[in-house]
Amino acid sequence: MQAIIKSSSQNALSLVLITLCLGVTCLIASEFIPVSLLSIIAEDLEISKGTA
């Protein structure tokens, strides 16, 4: 019985770690994607890259 509980807790820990890593990756990506799009948006708005 203890082996089942231990295995279940290890699976839960793995799931938590994977979810945490995916969440952090999404947060970091959501910060960098708009910055990489600024030059494209600036061209469409016909403003300089420095102003954007």
Side-chain angles (χ1 to χ4, degrees):
M1 183 70 177
Q2 289 179 351
I4 294 172
I5 294 172
K6 188 174 184 180
S7 175
S8 176
S9 66
Q10 286 177 345
N11 288 339
L13 180 61
S14 297
L15 183 61
V16 167
L17 289 176
I18 290 169
T19 304
L20 183 62
C21 289
L22 286 174
V24 169
T25 302
C26 288
L27 286 174
I28 291 172
S30 67
E31 289 183 15
F32 285 119
I33 288 174
V35 172
S36 65
L37 294 175
L38 282 178
S39 59
I40 298 169
I41 295 170
E43 289 174 4
D44 287 342
L45 296 175
E46 298 178 355
I47 58 175
S48 69
K49 292 180 183 178
T51 305

